Amino acid sequence: APKAAFASLSKRAQQNLAERAQRYSAASGKTIAPEAMIVPSRFLIRFEPQRMTSTVVGSRALVEVIGLGPEERANVPCAYENDGWRIDLELPPLPAVQVRPGSTP
């Protein structure tokens, strides 16, 4: 499931997770795959979708997923890339790598 979830992400989101995995691996000495950086709760189905609507502007879309109850709504940002629509998971930008004086990155 993690590999399938990773494959459904936009290139931007995949690159962000790959950088996070690389940094984790460098800091811990343990290699970790980019798909292992996905927090399972980000892909947890919180409700059964009943209806979906989308607003498309160029190569970007916002898909509103609607369930039965009024609290059952989610907005899913998407990006159209070479081979189709991908989930454009919004992740915070990575801070610059800090290097101690006298050491090399």
Side-chain angles (χ1 to χ4, degrees):
K3 285 188 181 203
F6 186 79
S8 71
L9 297 177
S10 67
K11 295 294 181 204
R12 183 183 67 84
Q14 287 180 359
Q15 289 170 346
N16 185 294
L17 291 172
E19 177 66 23
R20 289 174 188 278
Q22 182 182 12
R23 287 187 185 190
Y24 175 87
S25 297
S28 69
K30 298 176 186 175
T31 302
I32 187 169
E35 61 268 16
M37 299 302 293
I38 299 172
V39 178
S41 64
R42 296 291 265 173
F43 282 90
L44 181 66
I45 296 177
R46 295 180 288 150
F47 59 87
E48 187 68 34
Q50 299 297 309
R51 194 171 83 236
M52 291 184 230
T53 60
S54 63
T55 303
V56 179
V57 177
S59 63
R60 313 252 332 133
L62 185 63
V63 178
E64 182 180 25
V65 183
I66 303 164
L68 289 175
E71 73 285 351
E72 294 181 341
R73 290 181 177 266
N75 288 313
V76 181
C78 298
Y80 190 84
E81 296 178 345
N82 298 334
D83 55 350
W85 288 99
R86 300 282 180 246
I87 299 167
D88 197 23
L89 188 63
E90 295 180 20
L91 298 165
L94 287 164
V97 175
Q98 295 182 4
V99 179
R100 291 185 177 141
S103 63
T104 57

